């Protein structure tokens, strides 16, 4: 299948995500990365009172999921999802595992496991 | 509240690692992500704003414009405890600070190149060299492209002799996996 070339629009007005996070661009608590893994601490039916987008995050994180995947599934910018996740973390509605800190190259066993996986999967 | 898994509970979340698939416009980044990913490549958007945007200034929101950058990514589940993410990163210079975020914590990068447009790979290579992010150069052999040897490309791109150069077909899963393995082996070969 031939995918059309994607263009990145230069200047797209973005209003909704900023309104949703009250204009905040950094999460309240916890530093999230695109590959931070997130898991909800509760089933979705306990979500009453959450913003619809936060409730959606809880629904989509019943199994471990990355921030990037959540952003794609919710069709929201990753930064917005991180802000919402910060709130959910502060409310203990999710737990998260941060990726290796900056410059921290994955350990040798991890690299070897990835090689093994790529060769055998 | 026994239905709540608290922070203290032994919840095991998988380790996530990432590799960047970088390169100039139309070089085959998304194609390579799709070739190796177990999921259809997903798309996430970053909104780029000026630092210090007024946080409470909602009245001004509609007047502001932001640049959005789309990134494709894919996933390879290595095991229950280990997941590899691949990010196709937009190549334009003006997105360099997005790259900073992406490159931070990355295992390394694949710089896809096209022998018909080798010069367009320079910006990307400079970036990773400067950051000391390990990378390999993978020449995507588009049909009809001139046949260069890896040594030709190494020379033409003025690469450090230690930087692996491979020929690949980004559409092919096995070929693309071979590129990823070469990157990982390169990383393992580097002094700690
Ligand atoms: N013949 C041939 N075509 C290829 C190959 N790799 C990619 N293509 C085609 O080249 C075009 C661009 O590939 P993409 O994967 O979209 O490139 P990209 O780097 O993601 O492009 P941007 O995200 O727009 O910068 C698509 O039409 C692909 O089908 C290849 O190895 N051979
Ligand atoms: Mg692409």
């Amino acid at each position: 299948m031939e995918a059309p070339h994607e263009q990145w629009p230069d200047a797209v007005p973005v209003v909704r995500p900023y309104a949703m996070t009250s204009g905040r661009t950094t999460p309240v608590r916890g530093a999230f990365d695109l590959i931070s893994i997130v898991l909800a601490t509760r089933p979705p039916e306990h979500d009453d009172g959450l913003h619809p987008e936060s409730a959606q995050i809880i629904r989509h994180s019943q199994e471990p999921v990355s921030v990037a995947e959540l952003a794609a599934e919710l069709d929201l910018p990753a930064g917005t999802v991180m802000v919402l996740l910060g709130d959910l973390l502060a409310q203990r509605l999710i737990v998260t595992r941060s990726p290796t800190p900056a410059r921290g190259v994955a350990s040798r066993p991890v690299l070897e496991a990835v090689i093994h996986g790529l060769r055998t999967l | 509240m026994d239905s709540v898994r608290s922070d203290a509970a032994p919840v095991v979340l998988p380790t996530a690692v990432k590799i960047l698939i970088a390169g100039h416009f139309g070089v085959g980044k998304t194609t390579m992500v799709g070739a190796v990913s177990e999921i259809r490549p997903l798309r996430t958007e970053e909104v780029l704003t000026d630092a210090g945007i007024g946080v409470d200034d909602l009245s001004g929101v509609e007047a502001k414009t932001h640049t959005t950058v789309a990134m494709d990514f894919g996933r390879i589940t290595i095991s229950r405890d280990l997941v590899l993410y691949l990010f196709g990163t937009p190549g334009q210079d003006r997105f360099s600070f997005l790259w900073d975020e992406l490159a931070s914590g990355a295992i390394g990068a694949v710089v896809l190149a096209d022998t018909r447009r080798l010069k367009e790979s320079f910006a990307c290579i400079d970036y990773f060299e400067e950051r000391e992010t390990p990378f390999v150069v993978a020449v995507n052999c588009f049909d009809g492209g001139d046949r260069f040897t890896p040594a030709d490309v190494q020379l033409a791109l003025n690469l450090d002799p230690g930087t692996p150069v491979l020929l690949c077909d980004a559409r092919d899963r096995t070929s693309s996996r071979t590129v990823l393995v070469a990157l990982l082996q390169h990383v393992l070969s580097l002094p700690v």
Side-chain angles (χ1 to χ4, degrees), chain B residues 119-141:
Chain B
K119 277 204 285 291
E120 292 182 47
S121 302
F122 279 130
C124 203
I125 288 168
D126 285 348
Y127 177 85
F128 291 122
E129 278 181 350
E130 216 162 283
R131 267 194 71 100
E132 297 179 23
T133 300
F135 66 97
V136 298
V137 174
V139 179
N140 192 14
C141 295

Side-chain angles (χ1 to χ4, degrees), chain B residues 1 15 19 21 32 42 46 49 56 63 85 91 93 100 106-107 118-120 153 158 166 169 172 179:
Chain B
M1 299 239 289
T15 300
I19 288 176
I21 312 294
M32 180 172 271
L42 293 172
E46 275 297 347
T49 54
D56 292 315
Y85 287 94
D93 290 346
D100 289 345
I107 289 176
L118 270 188
K119 277 204 285 291
E120 292 182 47
V153 173
N158 191 23
L166 298 89
D169 181 341
D172 183 79
V179 171

Side-chain angles (χ1 to χ4, degrees), chain A residues 2 5, chain B residues 24-31 140 142-143 169-171:
Chain A
E2 187 98 336
H5 256 163
Chain B
H24 61 72
F25 187 76
V27 74
K29 302 179 292 290
T30 303
T31 303
N140 192 14
F142 284 87
D143 314 316
D169 181 341
R171 297 164 299 179

Side-chain angles (χ1 to χ4, degrees), chain B residues 6-38:
Chain B
S6 79
D7 290 64
V11 177
V12 182
L13 296 180
T15 300
V17 290
K18 67 183 164 186
I19 288 176
L20 312 185
I21 312 294
H24 61 72
F25 187 76
V27 74
K29 302 179 292 290
T30 303
T31 303
M32 180 172 271
V33 170
V36 291
S37 176
E38 68 200 17

Side-chain angles (χ1 to χ4, degrees), chain A residues 32-47:
Chain A
F32 293 93
D33 178 282
L34 282 169
I35 59 165
S36 296
I37 303 290
V38 169
L39 177 67
T41 56
R42 293 179 179 191
E45 56 266 26
H46 291 267
D47 291 343

